[in-house]
Amino acid sequence: MEHSLETSLVPCGKDKFISKNELLSHLKNYNLYYEGQNLQLRHREEEEELIVEGLLNIFWGLRRPIRLQMQDDNERIHPPPSSTSWHSGCNLITQRPVAKPVTIPDIQITEAEDNPTSTGEEETKTVEEDTPQLMRTRSDVGVRRRGTHHTPGEQRRFKRHRFSINGHFYNHKTSVFTPAYGSVTNVRINSTMSTPQVLKLLLNKFKIENPASEFSLYIVHTSGEKRKLKDTDYPLIARILHGPCEQVSKVFLMEKDQVEEVTYDVAQYIKFEMPVLSSFIQKLKEEEDREVDKLMTRYTSLRMLIEQRLQDLARCHATM
């Protein structure tokens, strides 16, 4: 009986569980919302454990710059999962003709080239996943168009300063930048992955050098409520339970030391105008004063009774 009860529960955090039927009900509504889109989630059971997997949208909410890793010239890299992983706000596919696919599974980078070739595997994965767009706030990451010709001097300069991250080139002098606030990317995860695992996967996907300990994932509601996902939480489960609509809530990547959690009670007052908030404060002050007066009156009367009793006892002892 106990074994049956355990297998019907799905962990959603430390000492927190949800019934398998309830989670499947939420999942059904989630997939109906994204019907016909690749954000639909799949589920399976392994050893009586329910596992949900699929793409999770994560929004960039960073206030400080991030640092991109530098690839060694002699290091082999695999084709990128998407042809627009790093871009300047527009789709790179529309800026240049699509290169013919070749059968080579990876690319050996020995020098900076003007026309790097993409593979057929890249095009196949682009259909499967949403384009992980990372918008820029400034023109500080130089993504170059393929097919652009440069003078010999420019080519020598790019050879010294241009490296490939996920198949796209940028100048390593400006590899420190801040992603555009509110731009979205996605990662393929499952319901058994905890918050630190999802963070690490996201940072590795974009070759971000900053340690995962600097960041956290937050559930941010349009009401202003902001809740940090704990290390023991499962982001995909949290997304399903909060519903699929990103106009109501979103998953944000933010700095740990730059964001304060906002409870539901506090969030109710965030969007009020200052005069309204001032009137609330005034009402609370008046209520506080009334409560203070009640307490002072009560304890004043008690003190007088005690003092009177002490005086009576002192007179009794004096007469004896």
Side-chain angles (χ1 to χ4, degrees):
M1 183 68 180
E2 292 181 359
H3 177 71
S4 176
L5 181 61
E6 290 177 359
T7 57
S8 66
L9 296 177
V10 179
C12 55
K14 184 178 180 181
D15 301 325
K16 293 190 296 184
F17 298 89
I18 183 175
S19 70
K20 188 181 296 184
N21 290 335
E22 185 178 354
L23 180 60
L24 288 174
S25 176
H26 283 285
L27 181 60
K28 181 180 178 181
N29 293 332
Y30 190 98
N31 285 336
L32 282 175
Y33 184 86
Y34 286 116
E35 186 174 5
Q37 302 181 43
N38 59 359
L39 287 175
Q40 283 190 317
L41 303 175
R42 298 189 297 269
H43 71 278
R44 66 182 191 277
E45 289 198 21
E46 290 185 1
E47 298 179 354
E48 298 184 345
E49 179 184 7
L50 179 65
I51 298 177
V52 183
E53 59 184 3
L55 292 175
L56 173 66
N57 276 350
I58 298 178
F59 292 79
W60 298 92
L62 304 180
R63 300 298 185 182
R64 290 196 299 255
I66 56 175
R67 300 184 304 276
L68 306 182
Q69 294 178 0
M70 298 299 171
Q71 291 283 357
D72 186 87
D73 281 350
N74 296 322
E75 181 182 353
R76 283 185 178 271
I77 64 169
H78 295 285
S82 170
S83 59
T84 55
S85 294
W86 300 100
H87 66 95
S88 58
C90 54
N91 196 326
L92 296 181
I93 297 177
T94 62
Q95 294 183 2
R96 61 182 182 275
V98 178
K100 295 181 179 180
V102 296
T103 58
I104 301 175
D106 52 19
I107 304 170
Q108 175 72 41
I109 297 182
T110 56
E111 62 179 7
E113 297 177 350
D114 290 328
N115 296 294
T117 307
S118 60
T119 67
E121 180 183 352
E122 173 185 351
E123 296 177 357
T124 303
K125 290 188 178 181
T126 304
V127 175
E128 180 181 339
E129 296 189 13
D130 272 359
T131 299
Q133 301 177 348
L134 179 55
M135 312 288 287
R136 291 183 290 122
T137 54
R138 300 182 183 83
S139 182
D140 45 11
V141 177
V143 179
R144 304 204 56 79
R145 293 187 183 183
R146 299 176 184 177
T148 305
H149 297 285
H150 302 283
T151 64
E154 288 177 331
Q155 290 177 358
R156 286 193 297 273
R157 180 167 59 85
F158 285 123
K159 184 183 295 186
R160 290 193 303 270
H161 299 303
R162 198 173 64 177
F163 298 82
S164 174
I165 297 297
N166 286 350
H168 298 292
F169 292 95
Y170 65 94
N171 189 324
H172 78 253
K173 287 183 176 180
T174 57
S175 63
V176 177
F177 74 106
T178 306
Y181 191 93
S183 55
V184 64
T185 184
N186 57 57
V187 287
R188 183 169 294 280
I189 62 174
N190 62 52
S191 57
T192 65
M193 296 178 68
S194 63
T195 302
Q197 290 174 316
V198 174
L199 279 173
K200 186 176 181 180
L201 182 65
L202 178 63
L203 298 184
N204 287 341
K205 178 176 182 178
F206 290 107
K207 305 298 182 184
I208 296 174
E209 192 175 72
N210 304 60
S213 58
E214 292 184 8
F215 308 105
S216 286
L217 294 178
Y218 290 81
I219 299 289
V220 180
H221 294 256
T222 52
S223 63
E225 182 183 356
K226 195 176 297 180
R227 185 177 72 84
K228 176 183 173 182
L229 292 180
K230 300 177 182 178
D231 289 348
T232 54
D233 287 338
Y234 303 96
L236 191 58
I237 298 290
R239 174 73 271 182
I240 295 172
L241 296 182
H242 280 82
C245 184
E246 291 176 344
Q247 295 179 351
V248 176
S249 63
K250 298 178 180 179
V251 179
F252 267 85
L253 175 72
M254 296 178 168
E255 294 97 342
K256 278 185 178 179
D257 59 350
Q258 294 288 308
V259 182
E260 291 185 5
E261 292 188 76
V262 179
T263 63
Y264 173 77
D265 293 332
V266 175
Q268 296 181 74
Y269 299 100
I270 286 180
K271 295 188 177 181
F272 285 111
E273 299 293 335
M274 284 303 297
V276 178
L277 292 175
S278 297
S279 66
F280 286 159
I281 293 174
Q282 182 62 31
K283 293 293 184 183
L284 291 173
K285 180 82 167 54
E286 293 174 358
E287 185 176 349
E288 180 184 7
D289 291 341
R290 286 195 297 269
E291 292 299 322
V292 169
D293 289 340
K294 289 180 182 178
L295 287 173
M296 291 184 67
T297 302
R298 177 185 175 188
Y299 286 105
T300 299
S301 61
L302 286 174
R303 186 178 66 251
M304 292 176 64
L305 287 173
I306 293 171
E307 290 175 348
Q308 182 65 39
R309 181 59 177 164
L310 289 173
Q311 291 175 5
D312 293 343
L313 290 174
R315 282 196 296 268
C316 289
H317 286 295
T319 57
M320 292 176 61

